[in-house]
Amino acid sequence: MALPFAAPVLLFALVLFALRWLNGAVDIRLPLRTVAVFLCSTAAFRVLPWPDLIAEIDARSHWRLPVMFLLFVRHFAIVLVGEVRRAFQARSLCVAANFRRGGFQSLAWATASVFRRAIERAERFYAAQTIGGIEE
Amino acid sequence: MTTILEVSKLSFRYASERVLRGISFQIAEGESVGLAGANGSGKSTLLWCIAGLLHGDGVVRLFGGQPAKDCRKKIGMVFQNPEDQLFMPALAQDLALPLVNSGMRPKDAQAVARQWLDRFELARYSDLPATHLSLGQRKRAAVALAMVRSPQFLIMDEPTAELDGRAVRRLSTMLNRLALTKLIASHHLDFLRATTSRVILLREGEIRAQGPAPEILNDTALLEESGLI
């Protein structure tokens, strides 16, 4: 079954909300901002001629920061989709039925594993870009 | 001969787990050194400490006494997963990015990037995103990316992971053509035989042995004890 394209980001926003709620605060700004950034980036990527734009932008351009930011968001959305797909495929191979014994527990563990993997991937991506001189 | 890397009494821990213990070694200019060890022996952590991405206790000095963060331009690094390095809409842009970061004009950076892609037999994929390439090609692209700023020291973390035999041979041939100091972490023993002259063997975060590559890599008892065969 194909994963709806926004599902991982919505799940991510939902878990962000849940974590804040568990911490005693009802705060929807961060999850809403996450979804808004995703939707704006998606729209921007569909409309603008990115490959040409990126090839022309030099290190001093005012456009460089937003362009790089959108590229990072795009890359991380792809990473997140891949990690969600892998985690939930692995879960579906282990769980006989979603709503029987163990279904919810495995869902919680699969969701948690997506976060752990996403953090690891983000850390490695940041390290790779640091070595590549992104901070210069 | 000039010392490129000096590691002295380096220790590192993740929370309560001690990953590296008292690591000391040196690498001279032009040497190609292998870092062998089983999974979890501390190879990747050691490489991250050397590149200045993690900070442990002890001393890591490069190029005659500088900390890694002060000489990043002289270091190239290939990560285990090429997806962590290649993310632009076209491969040539991935390679041009570090050059643009260091102030080169985008068009000049693209020209240099294309030259490096050509050297790694990837010229015809220049305008494609890395996701369109095979894993072997992506690994070569990651090496080309690490080389694009003409570093003096190349660090590689498991460059052969998940590669088939032919891709491993191709990668080792290309690496041998690069005349610079290299530190290559791998548990692929044939690849280390083909690409390195000296091997440091890690076991549970400590240096178990170091010496000429043939001596270490032909010591069956030592390799078995270290979980490599």
Side-chain angles (χ1 to χ4, degrees):
Chain A
M1 192 180 76
L3 198 66
F5 90 109
V9 176
L10 292 174
L11 177 70
F12 186 79
L14 198 68
V15 176
L16 279 180
F17 175 78
L19 289 173
R20 293 286 291 158
W21 179 72
L22 285 172
N23 214 18
V26 180
D27 182 3
I28 58 164
R29 280 172 301 175
L30 192 58
L32 278 182
R33 215 181 299 163
T34 305
V35 175
V37 166
F38 171 72
L39 292 176
C40 292
S41 323
T42 306
F45 271 104
R46 297 245 163 116
V47 172
L48 295 172
W50 287 102
D52 301 335
L53 206 60
I54 294 158
E56 294 296 324
I57 293 173
D58 71 26
R60 286 156 298 182
S61 165
H62 296 303
W63 283 100
R64 185 170 166 76
L65 199 61
V67 166
M68 292 311 299
F69 175 73
L70 288 172
L71 277 168
F72 288 173
V73 171
R74 184 191 77 138
H75 178 70
F76 211 69
I78 293 168
V79 166
L80 213 53
V81 168
E83 294 298 348
V84 167
R85 191 175 288 139
R86 271 191 283 273
F88 285 85
Q89 271 173 353
R91 175 184 172 266
S92 70
L93 291 172
C94 303
V95 178
N98 282 338
F99 302 108
R100 287 197 197 146
R101 192 181 174 137
F104 284 111
Q105 195 179 17
S106 64
L107 184 68
W109 282 111
T111 308
S113 81
V114 169
F115 272 79
R116 184 177 48 75
R117 290 190 212 190
I119 289 168
E120 279 173 16
R121 293 291 302 272
E123 189 181 42
R124 283 189 235 146
F125 179 68
Y126 176 68
Q129 299 318 311
T130 304
I131 290 286
I134 202 80
E135 292 172 341
E136 286 164 17
Chain B
M1 199 177 272
T2 315
T3 302
I4 291 286
L5 170 69
E6 184 187 356
V7 178
S8 176
K9 294 177 184 166
L10 178 68
S11 297
F12 184 85
R13 58 168 71 225
Y14 287 110
S16 59
E17 190 189 354
R18 208 159 174 189
V19 184
L20 299 174
R21 305 154 202 248
I23 303 280
S24 297
F25 67 95
Q26 293 187 343
I27 296 181
E29 187 176 10
E31 258 195 307
S32 182
V33 177
L35 191 60
N39 292 334
S41 59
K43 299 188 297 292
S44 296
T45 305
L46 177 54
L47 295 187
W48 279 49
C49 287
I50 290 169
L53 298 167
L54 290 175
H55 303 283
D57 298 325
V59 177
V60 177
R61 289 285 179 264
L62 290 120
F63 306 103
Q66 299 176 63
K69 66 178 174 55
D70 293 346
C71 49
R72 286 234 166 90
K73 280 185 183 172
K74 296 181 190 172
I75 303 172
M77 187 161 178
V78 179
F79 290 74
Q80 194 168 337
N81 184 352
E83 285 173 27
D84 295 330
Q85 295 181 269
L86 307 166
F87 68 100
M88 297 287 265
L91 211 48
Q93 288 165 2
D94 272 312
L95 269 76
L97 183 63
L99 301 170
V100 176
N101 285 338
S102 52
M104 193 182 277
R105 283 175 46 219
K107 276 191 181 153
D108 298 338
Q110 285 270 334
V112 176
R114 282 171 197 276
Q115 282 169 14
W116 274 103
L117 285 171
D118 192 29
R119 284 180 72 170
F120 281 82
E121 297 170 17
L122 293 165
R124 66 182 149 135
Y125 307 108
S126 299
D127 297 317
L128 294 177
T131 46
H132 284 47
L133 274 61
S134 71
L135 183 62
Q137 290 165 337
R138 270 182 276 158
K139 292 263 184 182
R140 293 209 312 270
V143 183
L145 172 62
M147 289 302 299
V148 80
R149 292 209 291 180
S150 305
Q152 293 171 35
F153 181 35
L154 181 63
I155 300 170
M156 305 181 80
D157 190 2
E158 296 287 2
T160 59
E162 299 171 57
L163 290 187
D164 60 39
R166 184 177 289 183
V168 171
R169 283 196 299 278
R170 208 165 177 188
L171 184 63
S172 57
T173 306
M174 287 181 173
L175 280 181
N176 286 336
R177 282 189 210 144
L178 302 174
L180 78 163
T181 312
K182 289 171 243 158
L183 177 59
I184 305 170
S186 178
H187 49 230
H188 195 300
L189 303 181
D190 288 336
F191 179 72
L192 290 178
R193 270 188 200 100
T195 54
T196 63
S197 57
R198 181 158 69 94
V199 168
I200 297 166
L201 184 59
L202 281 187
R203 193 183 143 208
E204 293 174 6
E206 289 177 307
I207 293 183
R208 174 66 186 81
Q210 58 177 314
E215 193 181 293
I216 300 284
L217 298 173
N218 291 331
D219 190 335
T220 317
L222 180 66
L223 296 176
E224 199 162 343
E225 183 203 309
S226 305
L228 278 164
I229 54 173

